[in-house]
Amino acid sequence: YQRRVHGRSGRLVLTMTALTESVRERLHEVCVFLHSNPELGLNEVLAHDTLCGFLETHGFQVERGYLGVATAFRAAFPPFGAAGEELSVPTVAVLAEYDALPGLGHACGHNLIATAALAAGLVAKHALSTAATAGGRVVVLGTPGEESGGGKCRLLEAGAFRHISAAMMVHPVAEPATPPVVYATTLAISELQVVFHGKAAHASGAPWEGINALDALVCFYNSVSVLRQQIKPECRVHGIIVDGGRAPNIIPERAEGLFYVRAPSLADLVSLKQRVSACASAAALATGCTLEMKWPPYSDYLDVRTNPTLAALFTRLWTQAAPRVRLPPEAEQRAVTLGSTDMGNVSYAVPSIHPLFPIPCADGLHTSAFAAVAATQEAFDRAVAMGEVMGAAVVELLANTALLAEARACADYTGLDPLAGAR
């Protein structure tokens, strides 16, 4: 990545480059520490304390355990004062993720996401410290539990985004399989837990006295497989058997499965959930079992709705800062779909972007190879470069409130939880 820039944003980018270089060693220490100490969603105690300590040291007002979410935080500059001040100036949020994957560590590169967010916050703070760019606020928002736990969903429900003017974050992807992307799209997702209850019996001596819960789960699994032929190509339903019984000579009285239901939009997701639920009910009816079906709260992640105004701004700044980066045409970018994220829920509430930046890795996300690459100097350098671009975007948005107004006019943004009342 080259940091040569041109045009009216050039001074800002050159200033932020000097700033991030001055704290680059400490940023690298944080990035490596997160990678070496992976923590699962909503249990990121070390990450929370490390990130909060870094931001406090660099002059941010930090609220730990923000809005009752133990490992969330809000770091603001300039600081919030009296109650209600959230409404007084435009506020742009840069989101940090820092949870890891079970057994794989940071195989999704969340240590890099957090590093980029810190770099962006420092860049924006430096600019906001000057009189020329006064009148706005940057918030680095720590959002735990993205892989599981729905940290952003919890924060949305608690009102964390009511007074946020725009939000952004970046995510690493594997190069060369995935190109750099600004117009990112993801699938909406719901998690489904199904438990079938039957009646135990001796599988050889008196099987007719039992009610086979595993048969019900297998019927459901096969029904979902048949359903796939009739759903849209963009939709996904996949799952595992969590509990299939205790011993082959006992008719299973309990069987449990865990499934993910994905669709390209909220409307498609609602429809698909109904069809999957019908498969489970039919399996219970066919086998004589009772059914316990749960859609856990905070497991509904919506599709990312990229804000076109923010995307255009980020594209311009990224290509200015890194002329060697070749962004595909917008249509090709939108065709790149990477799983699901609770950033989608945020994108329904406030103008948002979720750009993807590549790091060199022959394997994709959620692999041990990607986890190893996420600890390299090259990955760190690219994360910091993306943080610099995000910081420049924050500054430009706060310096040009017409851009923020244009972004908010793109959709009916309320700042509220888009699934309020649905849990």
Side-chain angles (χ1 to χ4, degrees):
Y1 283 80
Q2 298 179 357
R3 296 194 180 96
R4 294 180 305 175
V5 293
H6 312 281
R8 68 191 257 251
S9 297
R11 182 185 62 82
L12 294 174
V13 177
L14 290 174
T15 299
M16 72 184 179
T17 298
L19 171 67
T20 55
E21 291 294 344
S22 70
V23 294
R24 192 179 192 87
E25 182 177 343
R26 179 63 182 130
L27 275 173
H28 188 257
E29 290 174 359
V30 171
C31 184
V32 171
F33 179 83
L34 296 181
H35 190 276
S36 302
N37 295 275
E39 298 168 295
L40 300 184
L42 305 181
N43 293 285
E44 312 96 325
V45 177
L46 292 174
H48 168 272
D49 292 348
T50 299
L51 295 169
C52 288
F54 179 94
L55 289 160
E56 286 168 341
T57 299
H58 287 88
F60 285 81
Q61 177 196 53
V62 178
E63 296 177 65
R64 299 179 182 229
Y66 185 49
L67 294 178
V69 182
T71 52
F73 64 83
R74 183 177 75 170
F77 186 87
F80 288 101
E85 192 190 340
E86 289 91 343
L87 295 170
S88 62
V89 296
T91 300
V92 178
V94 178
L95 275 54
E97 295 175 357
Y98 34 92
D99 59 322
L101 289 161
L104 287 173
H106 279 290
C108 206
H110 289 192
N111 62 310
L112 301 173
I113 296 173
T115 299
L118 295 181
L122 291 173
V123 168
K125 176 181 177 292
H126 178 78
L128 290 169
S129 299
T130 68
T133 52
R137 176 177 287 113
V138 61
V139 163
V140 179
L141 191 62
T143 60
E146 188 275 337
E147 297 293 351
S148 63
K152 296 180 192 65
C153 305
R154 296 168 190 267
L155 290 171
L156 274 162
E157 185 179 61
F161 292 87
R162 285 181 301 167
H163 307 308
I164 297 296
S165 306
M168 63 184 73
M169 61 169 286
V170 294
H171 198 298
V173 291
E175 182 184 58
T178 306
V181 169
V182 176
Y183 293 87
T185 57
T186 64
L187 296 174
I189 186 175
S190 283
E191 178 182 306
L192 171 61
Q193 298 174 352
V194 291
V195 180
F196 292 95
H197 297 279
K199 179 183 177 184
H202 196 294
S204 176
W208 52 86
E209 293 182 359
I211 300 175
N212 197 318
L214 180 57
D215 280 350
L217 182 54
V218 170
C219 282
F220 171 58
Y221 191 99
N222 289 335
S223 294
V224 167
S225 296
V226 172
L227 176 65
R228 289 194 187 99
Q229 183 182 2
Q230 312 303 141
I231 63 178
K232 294 180 180 179
E234 301 85 4
C235 295
R236 304 284 187 272
V237 186
H238 41 101
I240 59 171
I241 294 176
V242 176
D243 177 14
R246 294 292 178 265
N249 61 347
I250 304 172
I251 298 293
E253 64 179 346
R254 183 185 187 278
E256 179 181 351
L258 179 64
F259 288 76
Y260 288 167
V261 180
R262 305 185 198 243
S265 70
L266 175 57
D268 288 327
L269 182 65
V270 170
S271 174
L272 185 56
K273 286 172 66 173
Q274 293 172 346
R275 298 176 73 181
V276 172
S277 297
C279 290
S281 298
L285 180 65
T287 56
C289 291
T290 59
L291 170 63
E292 185 181 351
M293 186 163 47
K294 296 179 181 178
W295 301 92
Y298 312 114
S299 71
D300 283 2
Y301 290 5
L302 303 184
D303 51 301
V304 169
R305 301 198 305 183
T306 294
N307 183 277
T309 300
L310 299 187
L313 170 63
F314 197 92
T315 297
R316 173 168 60 80
L317 293 173
W318 192 0
T319 53
Q320 287 176 351
R324 292 182 180 177
V325 170
R326 292 292 179 261
L327 288 166
E330 180 182 333
E332 292 182 20
Q333 293 185 47
R334 292 185 180 276
V336 177
T337 301
L338 292 175
S340 308
T341 173
D342 54 1
M343 185 63 180
N345 301 56
V346 175
S347 75
Y348 273 69
V350 299
S352 303
I353 51 173
H354 185 273
L356 311 175
F357 68 98
I359 60 175
C361 184
D363 295 336
L365 296 171
H366 293 204
T367 65
S368 57
F370 196 88
V373 171
T376 63
Q377 183 69 41
E378 176 71 13
F380 169 77
D381 290 342
R382 295 193 184 194
V384 171
M386 291 304 293
E388 292 172 353
V389 176
M390 276 200 295
V394 171
V395 172
E396 190 146 336
L397 287 169
L398 295 178
N400 184 358
T401 54
L403 266 181
L404 280 176
E406 180 183 322
R408 295 195 68 84
C410 293
D412 184 21
Y413 298 110
T414 65
L416 304 177
D417 182 4
L419 297 178
R423 297 188 179 93

